[in-house]
Structures are given as C-alpha cells and as structure tokens.
Amino acid sequence: MNKQLLDHFYDREIECPICKMKFTTKKVRTSAIRVIKRDEDFCPYYKSENPLFYNVFVCPNCGYAALESTFSKINELEKEKIVKFITSRWKQRSYGKERNLEEAIQVYKLALICYQVSKSKYINIGKVCLRLAWFYRYMNDEREKEFLKFTIDAFQNVYTKERLDKEEYSEVVILYLLGELNRRVGNYKEAIKWFDKALSNPDIKKKRHIEIRAREQWRLAREEYNNK
C-alpha cells in the first residue's frame, strides 16, 4: 500500500473487556472520508476508503467482536456466554490491518454471532445485518436480500420491544427503514404500512429529510404495488 493510502488510516489501541488484552485496530481518518452518494436506505458509497469496514472491533485473543459503539458495553453474563461459545472455539487471528470487502463481511458476521450468543439488543443485530446487506450490494450479490430480511425482523423487534433513547436510529428512522427495506425485498403492502407509520409519527416534523424521503418512497411503493 502506498504512503498516500496509508495516511488515510491511524491505529487505535483497544482493551478487550473480556480477556483484558490490548490490541490495535485500524480506523479511517475523518479527513479521508469522501461520500459519493447514498441509497434510500442510507447505504453509503465512498470515493476511497470505506470507514464502515472498520466499525467492528475484533479481539485477536478471545474472538470477541462488536460494533465500536457497544464493544465495551458488555455485562458479566454476556461475557460468560462469549467465553463459552466463542472463545472456546476461537483460533487466534488478527483483523487489525487494512480490511477488504471480504474481510469486512467476516468481521461483521463474527459480531453478529457474538450479539446472538450474548442475547444483545435487536438494534445492534439490525445494524450489523443492514451493513452486511450493503456489503453484499456492493458485490451485486443476491445475499443482500437475505440480510435485508434479517434486518426487517430485527427492526420490527426494535419497534415493538425496545426503547430508543439517544440511539443512532430514532423511532422515526426505524419506521422509515422498515418501509424502505420491505420495498426493496418486494413486500410493497408492508412497505406502504410502515411508511404510513413513519409519516404519522409526531417526531417526523423534526426530521424533514426523513419526511421527504418517506413521502417519495411511499409513492414509489404504491406504484410498485399497483404494477404488481
């Protein structure tokens, strides 16, 4: 890798909350992030390095993996489950260098397994599944729809079972995404229902950009439903 590309990264030292090992992992400098466009489900396309590839931390010693935002937020019961079901089967390896798309998929799937094993919140499972769907979209791979469906299941559970206090995804965003993701997998009637919920949510007026997207995608879902 040439020096210019190396300058896009910096090393961050992390301490694993489970085994206490300190390790380094790559992060993309904010100054190097250039978004070209976003799809209607917020899937981003980058001019150079994709920072999403590095948003999962993986301990090379015990195999614990999680999104950066939740990596240190793990209780004793969850730790026990990771040690029992992940660490006991883990063969030491590092994901601390630059990652390609295939390696990004590997670390996100590892995080997904860790979240499932530890019975993590549905919002965490949904975020990981959505990004895996995006990664497969980059590859034009049919597995995108599989992970969109997993995301739909997770976000429906978020809406019915979890509180979203100061989360990256507010309730309005979850409702909008449930509409758009259902539209993308061909569930047009469901998509219309969720877009309606988003547009009738009192907080939609605080998120003008979501309201505009929701109205446009609702119209598109209606057209697709009528054509079907």
Side-chain angles (χ1 to χ4, degrees):
M1 181 171 290
N2 63 43
K3 186 179 186 301
Q4 185 177 7
L5 287 178
L6 283 173
D7 288 342
H8 291 173
F9 297 97
Y10 66 95
D11 287 326
R12 179 170 172 186
E13 186 176 79
I14 311 294
E15 181 178 296
C16 177
I18 294 179
C19 69
K20 304 304 179 184
M21 176 181 174
K22 291 183 178 179
F23 62 95
T24 59
T25 190
K26 294 291 184 189
K27 293 290 292 178
V28 180
R29 297 185 189 279
T30 303
S31 59
I33 299 173
R34 297 286 186 274
V35 179
I36 301 171
K37 65 172 184 174
R38 292 183 188 273
D39 290 336
E40 293 304 318
D41 62 352
F42 311 131
C43 174
Y45 296 82
Y46 296 93
K47 186 175 181 180
S48 55
E49 298 300 329
N50 189 326
L52 295 181
F53 290 2
Y54 303 90
N55 278 1
V56 164
F57 293 165
V58 183
C59 176
N61 183 52
C62 70
Y64 170 55
L67 290 166
E68 177 180 356
S69 59
T70 68
F71 190 76
S72 61
K73 300 174 183 177
I74 183 168
N75 61 41
E76 291 304 316
L77 181 59
E78 292 168 336
K79 290 178 183 178
E80 290 175 10
K81 290 177 180 177
I82 295 296
V83 171
K84 181 178 180 180
F85 295 105
I86 303 298
T87 306
S88 62
R89 298 170 171 82
W90 178 251
K91 294 181 180 179
Q92 291 191 4
R93 57 191 180 276
S94 175
Y95 287 98
K97 302 298 183 182
E98 293 81 14
R99 297 172 184 169
N100 57 30
L101 181 53
E102 182 180 343
E103 290 165 334
I105 289 172
Q106 290 172 11
V107 299
Y108 271 82
K109 285 186 175 179
L110 182 58
L112 179 58
I113 293 170
C114 287
Y115 282 143
Q116 291 171 329
V117 161
S118 62
K119 307 293 185 185
S120 184
K121 290 182 178 180
Y122 288 110
I123 187 64
N124 297 327
I125 292 172
K127 286 179 183 178
V128 169
C129 287
L130 182 56
R131 290 179 185 179
L132 280 165
W134 293 346
F135 294 166
Y136 282 119
R137 187 180 305 168
Y138 295 155
M139 300 165 63
N140 196 27
D141 190 306
E142 275 298 311
R143 281 172 287 186
E144 174 197 344
K145 283 193 175 182
E146 177 184 348
F147 279 94
L148 287 178
K149 290 175 182 178
F150 291 155
T151 308
I152 290 168
D153 289 341
F155 281 174
Q156 285 182 176
N157 279 306
V158 170
Y159 179 64
T160 58
K161 299 176 182 178
E162 293 180 356
R163 288 187 62 184
L164 290 166
D165 294 330
K166 298 180 180 178
E167 284 282 358
E168 176 186 354
Y169 292 164
S170 65
E171 182 175 292
V172 168
V173 173
I174 291 293
L175 292 171
Y176 167 76
L177 281 171
L178 281 168
E180 178 59 16
L181 301 183
N182 271 289
R183 188 194 70 78
R184 284 179 172 270
V185 298
N187 297 335
Y188 303 123
K189 192 172 182 180
E190 278 291 297
I192 293 165
K193 179 187 81 173
W194 289 108
F195 284 135
D196 281 338
K197 284 180 179 289
L199 289 166
S200 62
N201 189 290
D203 291 334
I204 191 74
K205 296 300 180 185
K206 300 175 185 176
K207 295 185 179 292
R208 179 64 177 160
H209 64 294
I210 298 295
E211 182 180 14
I212 293 170
R213 284 176 184 263
R215 292 191 185 282
E216 178 58 27
Q217 297 309 101
W218 177 90
R219 182 193 62 76
L220 184 58
R222 291 289 301 185
E223 288 180 4
E224 290 169 324
Y225 178 70
N226 290 334
N227 290 336
K228 182 182 176 182

